[in-house]
Structures are given as structure tokens and as C-alpha cells.
Amino acid sequence: MASSGEEARSGSPGRAGTGTEAAADAAQLDTAEDFEVLEEEDEEDEDDLSELPPLEDVGRPAAPAREDAQPPERGAGDAAGDPQEWLDVLGNGLLKKKTLVEGQGVDSRPQKGQDVTIRMKATLEDGTVVEEEPALTFTLGDCDVLQALDLCVQLLEMGETALIVSDAKYCYGAQGRSPDIPPNASLTLEVELLAARDAPDLELLSGKEKIQLANRKRERGNFFYQQADYVLAINSYDIALRIVGSSSKVDFSPDEEAELLDVKVKCLNNLAASQLKLDHFKAALKSCNLVLEHQPGNIKALFRKGKVLAQQGEYREAIPILKAALKLEPSNKTIHAELSKLVKKHADQRNVETEMYRKMLGNPSAASTPRKCKDKLPWSIPWKWLFGATAIALGGVALSVVIAARN
């Protein structure tokens, strides 16, 4: 299967961009066990997201600052403020915020769902600047950026400049960002809130604008998938699907309609991959079926549907689906391997069932059959069956007597 490579790494804390590993990722397609690598042209269940909160809750009161609390030692930008001014955002000590320049008051804080613009500078613990954004715009609460930003910007007042010290958990995690951010690296973010405005009305977006917006959300989902954060990946794919599926007051061209459908299929395929990683089989099956409604020959959807059914022990249903995928792409080693595995599992399952039925029927072995009856009866009837048949016959006679008496 041809692959162009997915946007595997974020080009900045705010966005996911095309990474240098894309070619290497694409080369793994035929050997990855379940098509884990997502391509730009490749790779969600809505009822699944209620159990998957996209971000940690920031609504609870922050833990009171201790008098002896000390801010983490950081490099650039940590000259202002008193240790007591640090706010423990989540109460776990892993994400802290300190105001450097006061803003316009609590009422000027942005709301989730608004498009915000910030100035941002990110540094490592040794003071190395790894990112500078003079005007980074994103939708607050949509996981378009690092969680550290998404969680803290909603606490900023308009015009406020703050210092954010974040554990790697809320930045680039265990994988880091090649080549400038090492694995498990904490970051210090200097952020100024420049603007906040309501997000555009989806019904008024042009076809091109809707495609671009949906693709940005999808690419962010791909970033989270590559980071193995499947919960946030599902969230991003779901947002992209809502954009694609939203009603419109603008007429789209046939080409734009086709491109929107293509984005939808990519998101559904990626969503199924994420749901399969979380063992949400029912949701993954639904996502695969939605893809196949639009593209019956979509190999990834067929493959994942076969995988889901196999995980549920439905080998008889899974095998023909994988055979259909293999017929479309006979050289795909991944499908070959999965199909061979399922055929063997199905054969083993049938052998177990056959043995179980033999025991239930009570078939004796040939050696235990009495010689004098061997020629007359090819098999013996268990006495329990005879007893049961007799009971049924007697019950029928009794029922006939009752009916006759009533008549």
C-alpha cells in the first residue's frame, strides 16, 4: 500500500507538522502489526468520547501555596516574582503558573471554544530556547497545542504575561521532539495573552476553510497517535469529524465535497486505529463500518474490521473480510500474517468444538463397541437419551388425555 507518511511530530508546541521521521514511518507500513503508521492520506466513535475526558480537570480549586514552597529552578525568564506567587494549577506540583505582568482582570479571561492568540517562548531547564512564537493562534480546549498551554492559557487575563513551568507529561512526554527537545524534558513557557475571539461559525465557512480546519484537527490527532496518547487522538479526530459533518449555508463545489469526504474517511480510519488500541471494539467496529459505507474497498477499514472481529473471537466473520482485503492488495505482508493467524485459530476453535460435541453426544470409541452389536448398530444411543425420549412420549400421552377430557 502506498504511503506518503503522516505528520508525525509537531513543528512547535502549538501545532503538528510534517516530521523528519515520516519516510521511516511509511516504510514500516507492511510490517507494522496493525497498520499503526498513519499517513497523510490514511487514517472514532462519537458515543465513545463521553468516557474519555480530553484534558485533566482544571476547575477544581488549586492547592494553597505553602509558605516554604520554592519554584523550580529554571533558566530564562525566571527573574521576576516571589515564590509565593506560584500557582499549582492541577494540585500535583507538575504544572505551575506565575504572573510576570498583570492583566486586565478576571473577567477578561478567555473561554473554552474561543480562538486565542498568544506570544510564547519555550525553554529547556538549562535555558536553551527551543521555540518562539510571536503570534500563535489556536482554539482553547481543543487540544490543538501542548496540554500545558491549553490548561494554563484559560487562566490568563487579557494582556497578562505569565511563566509556566511544566513537567514533560504536559509537553512532549517520554518521546520528546526530535531533534531539539529530549525525552522526558520539562519546559518553561513564557506566555502573553494577546487576543481572544469567538471561533468562526462553521455554517459560514467556505469549503476550503472547512477542509483546512478539519485537516488541522486531524493532523493534531495524528500527532497524539504517534505519541501513543490515544485518548487525545480520539478527541481530535472527533472534533475534525464534527467540522466535516456540520451543516453549511455555503454551497461547495463537487471537488470540495469530494475532499471533505476524503478527510472524513481519513479521520474515521484513524479513529478506528485509536479505538482498537484502547480495546474499544464496539466503537472501532462502528468506525470501520462508516468508512466502508463510503468506500467498500478501503483496505485499512477492512483490515481493522477483521482485527476487531478476531479480537472478539468471531473468526468465521473475520476471515472473509481479511480475504477481501488481501484480494485488493495481494502483496501486503501484514494482511497475509493476520489472515494466516486467524485461519489457524479458527481451525483450532473448530477442533475444540468438534471434541466438545463428541463428548456431549456420548459417542464411544470403536474399541468400546460390543462386537455382537457392531454390525447392527453403527452407533449406540446413550441411556439418558432413551429415558428422555420415553419421558417425552409419556408426557404427550398425558397431554392427549387432558385434551380429550376437556372436549
Side-chain angles (χ1 to χ4, degrees):
M1 185 184 310
S3 170
S4 58
E6 191 59 90
E7 298 86 344
R9 293 291 180 269
S10 173
S12 75
R15 306 206 179 281
T18 303
T20 57
E21 298 90 345
D25 285 345
Q28 299 175 13
L29 180 59
D30 285 345
T31 56
E33 182 185 13
D34 64 343
F35 291 90
E36 289 188 6
V37 179
L38 311 181
E39 318 115 298
E40 272 186 18
E41 60 185 25
D42 162 44
E43 350 216 325
E44 294 178 317
D45 185 28
E46 298 175 2
D47 60 353
D48 186 49
L49 294 178
S50 61
E51 300 176 1
L52 303 174
L55 292 173
E56 294 193 37
D57 183 17
V58 297
R60 61 185 176 184
R66 292 167 43 193
E67 293 185 1
D68 61 344
Q70 296 293 326
E73 293 184 4
R74 289 293 181 270
D78 195 19
D82 185 280
Q84 295 184 6
E85 295 178 359
W86 284 93
L87 172 67
D88 190 347
V89 176
L90 299 174
N92 59 9
L94 301 180
L95 184 63
K96 296 184 178 183
K97 167 190 171 290
K98 179 171 66 174
T99 299
L100 301 180
V101 178
E102 295 289 345
Q104 299 174 13
V106 175
D107 292 341
S108 66
R109 288 180 177 177
Q111 303 296 315
K112 286 186 178 181
Q114 287 188 313
D115 285 348
V116 298
T117 301
I118 63 171
R119 176 187 63 80
M120 187 273 301
K121 179 172 71 173
T123 60
L124 298 175
E125 289 182 290
D126 62 3
T128 302
V129 178
V130 291
E131 195 70 41
E132 285 192 88
E133 291 282 353
L136 175 64
T137 299
F138 60 95
T139 303
L140 191 59
D142 274 11
C143 304
D144 292 343
V145 292
L146 298 177
Q147 286 194 60
L149 287 173
D150 226 348
L151 292 167
C152 291
V153 168
Q154 58 189 290
L155 302 177
L156 296 182
E157 300 171 3
M158 188 60 59
E160 178 182 348
T161 299
L163 204 62
I164 299 168
V165 176
S166 175
D167 182 80
K169 177 179 180 180
Y170 306 109
C171 296
Y172 289 96
Q175 296 190 23
R177 187 188 72 185
S178 179
D180 53 352
I181 300 179
N184 298 309
S186 298
L187 290 181
T188 296
L189 309 172
E190 185 178 306
V191 181
E192 178 185 1
L193 180 58
L194 302 176
R197 60 185 179 276
D198 291 339
D201 188 342
L202 295 180
E203 290 187 337
L204 301 179
L205 292 180
S206 67
K208 183 178 180 181
E209 290 171 332
K210 182 172 282 193
I211 291 166
Q212 289 175 341
L213 181 58
N215 268 325
R216 284 203 299 271
K217 305 299 183 180
R218 176 182 62 85
E219 289 163 7
R220 191 61 183 173
N222 297 346
F223 167 76
F224 286 127
Y225 187 97
Q226 295 292 345
Q227 295 286 332
D229 196 335
Y230 306 116
V231 171
L232 292 182
I234 286 174
N235 181 74
S236 294
Y237 295 137
D238 178 67
I239 293 172
L241 285 169
R242 291 181 198 168
I243 295 169
V244 171
S246 62
S247 60
S248 179
K249 296 179 180 178
V250 180
D251 293 331
F252 300 153
S253 69
D255 287 344
E256 289 172 336
E257 292 282 5
E259 196 167 352
L260 282 169
L261 177 59
D262 184 57
V263 175
K264 179 180 180 180
V265 167
K266 292 175 186 178
C267 289
L268 286 169
N269 252 334
N270 292 1
L271 184 58
S274 302
Q275 291 163 339
L276 191 55
K277 286 291 187 181
L278 296 174
D279 293 339
H280 294 173
F281 300 128
K282 182 179 178 180
L285 187 61
K286 180 179 177 181
S287 298
C288 292
N289 286 334
L290 288 172
V291 173
L292 296 173
E293 286 179 9
H294 298 293
Q295 297 180 359
N298 189 289
I299 294 177
K300 289 183 181 291
L302 288 170
F303 178 81
R304 290 206 177 90
K305 182 174 181 178
K307 285 275 288 185
V308 170
L309 292 171
Q311 291 282 0
Q312 295 175 316
E314 304 291 344
Y315 303 129
R316 183 177 298 177
E317 290 79 5
I319 288 173
I321 292 173
L322 290 180
K323 284 183 177 179
L326 191 60
K327 186 176 180 180
L328 293 170
E329 193 168 305
S331 62
N332 192 295
K333 298 177 183 178
T334 305
I335 302 176
H336 264 293
E338 186 66 22
L339 183 57
S340 298
K341 184 169 65 176
L342 289 191
V343 169
K344 184 179 183 303
K345 286 184 176 180
H346 188 219
D348 292 342
Q349 184 186 61
R350 292 180 65 182
N351 290 337
V352 170
E353 290 175 351
T354 300
E355 179 65 18
M356 179 181 67
Y357 293 148
R358 189 192 70 79
K359 291 181 178 179
M360 289 175 60
L361 294 174
N363 285 345
S365 64
S368 64
T369 304
R371 287 186 177 274
K372 62 180 180 179
C373 298
K374 195 171 184 179
D375 295 335
K376 295 180 181 180
L377 294 175
W379 48 276
S380 61
I381 301 175
W383 67 269
K384 291 183 179 180
W385 282 28
L386 292 174
F387 179 81
T390 302
I392 292 172
L394 291 175
V397 172
L399 181 61
S400 298
V401 172
V402 172
I403 293 173
R406 287 185 176 181
N407 292 335

